[in-house]
């Protein structure tokens, strides 16, 4: 029974997403719900937190633990592109009208194994260090000026010489740790967060993140801490060149869902929109160059110019070991 | 009118003293102000003696010292050429404390001023005590096209603007109020028909980069001449990312459906954005005439209670004539 009730909540959330999609796609009252299962192509197991993006509608959501997502309406009539992706799998991209009649989306694994290396005798370097007082802005929130329409934000790091192993990551995020939870039904809706961190080598052909250097899922969850640290030594993440990226990937699901309430310049009224935690810290400094990159809904990496030219770095610190 | 000149000469040190939990670090930050001119003292030396940390104040007289370990018996020493060195025990400080220092030769300063060809006056002066009063931003639901304008009336005309002083309010909020902020400063004439702010004579973008509560904007190099004796100074807020302040609100969503069919709700976060800066406001029995610009770009006169007076922003102007 409890399981069924939980399902109901998830269903409610999905219905909320449908309604947004319905509104965004400008379709009329729906007669059909198209249910899709995102599964592993070999094991057929559902893939949780796979990112599902409708490009034209500028909508992004994540699959729940059962790998299901739903799109309402007659798919043949909807003109949009869909991108489905999960870490460690190949990207699935198609037109929405071609998904009519489909039941499951099978993603093929694209993983590689990294060998452990001996860290004895290697020296530790702290990249992009920051203090608490260096962070008083946070990004990942729909604001009056701009909706936050990104899948990931990445910080670029630079090494003195090529080759290093990433051992630790520290991230500062928005959490209102002064909340008295005693009268709140569930603490999960306020500051609780689940997100993933991703690691990329620098693209050899163009600026920005290139291939992933860790295909294992590094997922973090936290109740109300402003600073989150994670030891990633066990993943053997090797940086091949002199630069790399660490990204925060938003899981756009029920757990992380909150709202933002901003002034809508078109209607001259306050407008509530769905907002997913976390909000990531921005350093109060102006570096020599912009080191923040964003992955947009089309899965293109672009410089994140929201705070340019004043602030150039995310509150993400990497600790690496080098010879 | 320019009551600063009637005050004893000296230097105010606005010590925005705070101990923060940045690891084991203690942060001393504050602002050194010259009371005689009521302007910041740049390049003053600030030293934490036993810890052996020395820094200089910036152009706003602001300093920041960070120490990993601070002895309770340690002393902060403030010194600048022309002023008597001030020693203050760390243990004596309280938040938002003003400390008065005496200049070495105050009479010399006065002679210099009276010998000038152009005389100096200040309008709508405020004191260091006013700065600690509280926030004074005009109420605006959406902060769109949001601006405040204060009327200045002089007995003279052809005024050469020298500086503008502002009080800034930085509350101990959570998350921290962002220190850096940008806003627009306008000098405006008076609309002859309505008496409200008229044409913009001059605009300057102001970028504040530290936690100075007393903000001095130097206009001496801008050559702004006001031909009449009445004019407005306007502060315009900018809805830009740098100025965002994130506030937390709560809304309900469905959390659980009980077996009896009753719904249980849970509170979830709702982020609400407001914009910096926050200026100091204080009450006067006869406050300055002021206006607020809101949606649609219309200027609306701020109300004054006949019995209790009204609020005005800590905003003064100094000019030569």
């Amino acid at each position: 029974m409890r399981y069924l009730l939980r399902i109901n909540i998830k269903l409610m959330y999905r219905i909320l997403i449908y309604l947004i999609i319905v509104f965004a796609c400008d379709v009329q009252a729906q007669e059909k719900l198209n249910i899709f299962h995102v599964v592993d192509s070999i094991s057929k197991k559902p893939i949780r937190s796979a990112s599902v993006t409708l490009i034209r509608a500028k909508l992004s959501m994540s699959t729940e633990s059962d790998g299901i997502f739903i799109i309402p309406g007659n798919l043949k009539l909807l003109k949009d592109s869909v991108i489905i992706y999960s870490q460690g799998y190949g990207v699935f991209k198609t037109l929405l009208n071609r998904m009519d009649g489909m039941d499951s989306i099978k993603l093929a694994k694209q993983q590689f194994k990294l060998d452990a290396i001996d860290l004895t005798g290697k020296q530790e370097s702290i990249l992009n260090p920051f203090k608490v007082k260096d962070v008083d802005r946070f990004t990942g929130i729909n604001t009056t000026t701009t909706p936050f329409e990104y899948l990931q934000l990445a910080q670029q790091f630079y090494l003195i010489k090529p080759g290093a192993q990433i051992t630790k990551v520290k991230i500062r995020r928005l959490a209102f740790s002064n909340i008295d939870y005693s009268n709140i039904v569930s603490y999960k809706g306020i500051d609780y967060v689940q997100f993933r961190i991703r690691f990329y080598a620098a693209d050899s052909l163009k600026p920005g993140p290139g291939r992933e250097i860790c295909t294992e899922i590094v997922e973090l969850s936290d109740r109300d801490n402003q600073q989150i640290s994670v030891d990633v030594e066990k993943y053997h993440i090797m940086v091949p060149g002199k630069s790399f990226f660490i990204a925060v990937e938003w899981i756009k699901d029920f757990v992380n869902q909150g709202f933002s309430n901003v002034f809508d310049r078109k209607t001259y009224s306050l407008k509530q929109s769905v907002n997913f935690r976390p909000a990531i810290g921005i350093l109060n400094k102006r570096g020599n160059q912009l080191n923040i990159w964003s992955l947009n809904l089309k899965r293109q990496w672009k410089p994140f110019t929201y705070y340019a030219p004043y602030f150039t770095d995310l509150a993400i610190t990497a600790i690496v070991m080098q010879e | 009118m320019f009551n600063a000149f009637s005050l004893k000469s000296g230097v105010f040190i606005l010590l925005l003293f705070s101990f923060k939990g940045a690891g084991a670090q203690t942060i001393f930050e504050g602002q050194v102000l010259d009371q005689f001119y009521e302007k910041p003292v740049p390049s003053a030396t600030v030293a934490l003696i036993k810890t052996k940390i020395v820094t200089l104040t910036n152009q706003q007289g602001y300093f920041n010292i960070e120490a990993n370990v601070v002895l309770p018996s340690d002393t902060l020493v403030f010194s600048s050429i022309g002023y008597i060195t001030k020693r203050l025990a760390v243990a004596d400080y309280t938040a938002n404390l003003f400390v008065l220092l005496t200049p070495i030769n105050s009479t010399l300063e006065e002679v210099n001023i009276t010998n000038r060809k152009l005389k100096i006056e200040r309008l709508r002066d405020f004191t260091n005590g006013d700065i600690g009063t509280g926030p004074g931003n005009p109420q605006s639901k959406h902060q769109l096209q949001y601006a405040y304008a204060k009327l200045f009336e002089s007995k003279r005309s052809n005024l050469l603007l020298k500086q503008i002083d502002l009080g800034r309010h930085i509350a101990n909020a959570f998350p921290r109020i962002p220190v850096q902020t940008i806003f627009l400063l306008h000098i405006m004439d008076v609309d002859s028909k309505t008496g409200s702010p008229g044409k913009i004579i001059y605009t300057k973008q102001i970028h504040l980069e530290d936690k100075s509560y007393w903000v001095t904007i130097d206009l001496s190099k801008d050559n702004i001449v006001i031909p009449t004796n009445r004019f407005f100074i306007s502060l315009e807020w900018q809805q830009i990312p740098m100025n965002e302040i994130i506030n937390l609100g709560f809304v309900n969503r469905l959390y659980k459906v009980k077996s009896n069919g009753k719904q249980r709700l849970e509170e979830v976060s709702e982020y609400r954005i407001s914009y910096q800066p926050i200026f100091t406001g204080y009450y006067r029995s006869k406050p300055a005439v002021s206006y607020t610009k809101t949606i649609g770009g219309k200027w609306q006169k701020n109300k004054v209670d006949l019995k209790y007076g009204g609020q005005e922003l800590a905003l003064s102007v100094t000019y030569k004539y």
Side-chain angles (χ1 to χ4, degrees):
Chain A
M1 186 64 184
R2 183 173 290 178
Y3 175 76
L4 289 173
L5 292 175
R6 283 181 64 86
I7 293 293
N8 278 344
I9 302 300
K10 287 179 180 175
L11 199 62
M12 293 291 289
Y13 170 68
R14 284 171 186 156
I15 287 169
L16 173 71
I17 297 291
Y18 313 152
L19 294 173
I20 295 168
I21 294 171
V22 167
F23 180 76
C25 296
D26 197 24
V27 294
Q28 297 183 356
Q30 295 309 310
E31 66 284 351
K32 186 181 176 186
L33 294 177
N34 304 282
I35 301 174
F36 301 96
H37 297 76
V38 181
V39 298
D40 183 293
S41 62
I42 297 170
S43 70
K44 305 293 187 278
K45 286 183 178 176
I47 300 174
R48 182 178 72 88
S49 302
S51 158
V52 181
T53 305
L54 302 182
I55 301 299
R56 186 164 162 258
K58 291 186 176 178
L59 281 170
S60 179
M61 64 191 115
S62 299
T63 57
E64 297 287 343
S65 55
D66 52 11
I68 287 177
F69 73 95
I70 305 172
I71 298 176
N74 186 346
L75 294 184
K76 286 181 180 174
L77 301 177
L78 297 178
K79 294 176 181 176
D80 208 333
S81 300
V82 183
I83 298 177
I84 301 165
Y85 177 74
S86 185
Q87 186 174 6
Y89 292 91
V91 176
F92 178 88
K93 186 175 180 181
T94 189
L95 294 172
L96 199 53
N97 55 23
R98 288 185 185 171
M99 289 176 68
D100 187 43
M102 284 177 73
D103 171 58
S104 61
I105 288 101
K106 294 166 188 163
L107 300 184
K109 268 195 174 166
Q110 286 187 339
Q111 285 188 305
F112 56 88
K113 186 81 176 172
L114 292 161
D115 294 326
I117 62 160
D118 182 10
L119 297 178
T120 310
K122 291 186 165 53
Q123 288 194 332
E124 186 179 273
S125 299
I126 302 173
L127 307 176
N128 197 38
F130 63 85
K131 298 172 184 172
V132 171
K133 72 177 186 66
D134 297 332
V135 185
D136 50 22
R137 286 178 183 77
F138 298 88
T139 189
I141 295 170
N142 300 319
T143 68
T144 304
T145 53
T146 317
F148 188 80
E149 294 172 339
Y150 302 101
L151 302 168
Q152 296 178 33
L153 283 185
Q155 167 70 27
Q156 185 164 15
F157 298 89
Y158 303 92
L159 299 166
I160 296 168
K161 56 184 178 181
Q165 179 174 353
I166 304 169
T167 56
K168 282 182 184 169
V169 178
K170 182 177 85 173
I171 297 170
R172 190 155 184 87
R173 60 110 174 184
L174 177 66
F176 295 81
S177 305
N178 54 348
I179 295 169
D180 176 11
Y181 282 104
S182 58
N183 295 319
I184 294 176
V185 174
S186 166
Y187 65 86
K188 283 203 166 186
I190 311 298
D191 280 337
Y192 186 82
V193 69
Q194 285 182 347
F195 64 98
R196 292 176 176 178
I197 52 174
R198 310 284 288 266
F199 301 85
Y200 300 92
D203 194 309
S204 57
L205 300 175
K206 62 182 189 300
R211 71 173 176 86
E212 283 199 71
I213 50 179
C214 175
T215 54
E216 289 193 62
I217 292 171
V218 183
E219 187 168 306
L220 309 177
S221 61
D222 185 84
R223 174 176 153 158
D224 58 1
N225 287 301
Q226 297 157 42
Q227 206 138 291
I228 301 170
S229 296
V230 56
D231 190 333
V232 295
E233 189 179 326
K234 64 181 177 184
Y235 299 110
H236 314 305
I237 305 165
M238 303 302 299
V239 179
K242 287 181 73 174
S243 179
F244 66 97
F245 298 79
I246 297 177
V248 167
E249 180 185 22
W250 274 261
I251 299 175
K252 300 185 177 184
D253 63 3
F254 184 74
V255 169
N256 292 314
Q257 183 222 330
F259 297 92
S260 59
N261 199 348
V262 296
F263 183 74
D264 182 10
R265 292 167 187 262
K266 291 178 183 172
T267 60
Y268 272 36
S269 60
L270 287 170
K271 188 177 178 184
Q272 190 185 61
S273 57
V274 173
N275 208 113
F276 295 95
R277 293 183 296 274
I280 302 299
I282 298 287
L283 299 190
N284 297 330
K285 69 172 188 178
R286 185 175 186 166
N288 295 328
Q289 64 184 75
L290 182 61
N291 293 318
I292 309 173
W293 290 76
S294 57
L295 184 66
N296 64 21
L297 300 183
K298 294 178 181 175
R299 303 201 71 80
Q300 299 164 327
W301 284 106
K302 303 278 184 187
F304 184 67
T305 57
Y306 188 65
Y307 294 98
Y310 301 105
F311 310 115
T312 52
D313 294 87
L314 288 171
I316 300 178
T317 293
I319 297 173
V320 300
M321 299 294 280
Q322 273 194 300
E323 285 187 5
Chain B
M1 188 172 286
F2 187 11
N3 60 15
F5 285 98
S6 64
L7 294 172
K8 290 179 182 177
S9 301
V11 175
F12 275 125
I13 298 168
L14 167 58
L15 191 68
L16 313 174
F17 177 76
S18 57
F19 292 96
K20 294 177 182 174
Q25 269 199 339
T26 302
I27 300 171
F28 299 93
E29 55 186 338
Q31 196 175 7
V32 180
L33 301 175
D34 182 313
Q35 184 189 17
F36 187 79
Y37 292 105
E38 294 211 348
K39 69 177 184 180
V41 179
S43 304
T45 303
V46 183
L48 190 59
I49 297 300
K50 290 185 180 174
T51 318
K52 295 179 181 175
I53 299 177
V54 180
T55 189
L56 295 176
T57 58
N58 68 10
Q59 285 301 308
Q60 290 290 347
Y62 175 83
F63 67 91
N64 180 299
I65 288 180
E66 296 175 21
N68 289 326
V69 180
V70 178
L71 298 172
S73 59
D74 210 339
T75 306
L76 277 165
V77 175
F78 305 87
S79 59
S80 182
I81 295 171
Y83 301 102
I84 294 172
T85 298
K86 177 77 176 181
R87 302 171 74 87
L88 291 166
V90 163
D92 288 343
Y93 286 127
T94 56
N96 301 332
L97 181 69
F98 284 90
V99 180
L100 182 65
L101 296 179
T102 310
I104 292 170
N105 191 341
S106 58
T107 52
L108 251 181
E109 297 288 337
E110 286 186 36
V111 170
N112 281 343
I113 284 174
T114 52
N115 279 348
R116 287 177 181 171
K117 288 180 181 177
L118 291 174
K119 292 183 179 177
I120 297 173
E121 276 190 350
R122 180 175 293 194
L123 293 176
R124 304 306 305 186
D125 199 11
F126 58 86
T127 67
N128 54 322
D130 294 324
I131 285 183
T133 309
N137 284 11
Q139 293 297 312
S140 174
K141 197 173 179 183
H142 312 306
Q143 292 191 326
L144 194 72
Q145 296 178 326
Y146 184 52
Y148 169 88
K150 184 169 172 178
L151 179 66
F152 291 85
E153 296 180 276
S154 172
K155 292 175 182 173
R156 300 168 180 84
S157 55
N158 291 320
L159 313 172
L160 178 62
L161 299 193
K162 184 175 179 290
Q163 74 180 47
I164 285 170
D165 288 89
L166 276 166
R168 190 179 176 199
H169 183 83
I170 306 174
N172 287 324
F174 190 89
R176 284 158 30 107
I177 300 293
V179 172
Q180 287 198 48
T181 184
I182 285 176
F183 64 96
L184 294 179
L185 176 80
H186 302 294
I187 313 294
M188 308 175 80
D189 67 12
V190 180
D191 188 298
S192 56
K193 291 180 182 174
T194 63
S196 63
K199 290 178 187 171
I200 294 174
I201 299 169
Y202 181 81
T203 294
K204 188 170 191 171
Q205 187 188 67
I206 309 297
H207 184 178
L208 305 181
E209 299 185 66
D210 58 42
K211 283 183 73 175
S212 297
Y213 281 31
W214 189 304
V215 177
T216 294
I217 300 162
D218 184 10
L219 299 177
S220 59
K221 293 175 183 171
D222 299 68
N223 292 320
I224 307 162
V225 177
I226 310 288
T228 60
N229 67 333
R230 296 175 80 233
F231 61 97
F232 280 97
I233 295 178
S234 169
L235 309 170
E236 183 179 346
W237 282 260
Q238 300 286 286
Q239 286 83 39
I240 58 174
M242 172 182 277
N243 291 340
E244 288 167 3
I245 301 173
I246 302 167
N247 307 289
L248 177 65
F250 301 97
V251 290
N252 287 325
R253 74 172 176 188
L254 184 62
Y255 173 66
K256 193 178 279 184
V257 180
K258 292 181 179 177
S259 54
N260 60 8
K262 284 189 176 178
Q263 293 182 347
R264 193 177 179 189
L265 304 175
E266 71 168 341
E267 288 177 307
V268 296
S269 59
E270 186 189 71
Y271 299 135
R272 296 159 186 173
I273 309 295
S274 58
Y275 290 90
Q276 278 256 62
I278 301 168
F279 294 111
T280 296
Y282 47 74
Y283 280 86
R284 292 279 190 268
S285 57
K286 292 181 180 176
V289 173
S290 65
Y291 287 78
T292 299
K293 188 165 76 171
T294 56
I295 290 174
K298 290 182 179 176
W299 287 103
Q300 202 166 28
K301 194 173 182 179
N302 294 323
K303 292 177 181 174
V304 177
D305 189 294
L306 292 173
K307 189 175 179 182
Y308 300 106
Q311 195 181 42
E312 66 179 70
L313 291 192
L315 173 62
S316 74
V317 63
T318 305
Y319 58 82
K320 296 178 180 178
Y321 65 93

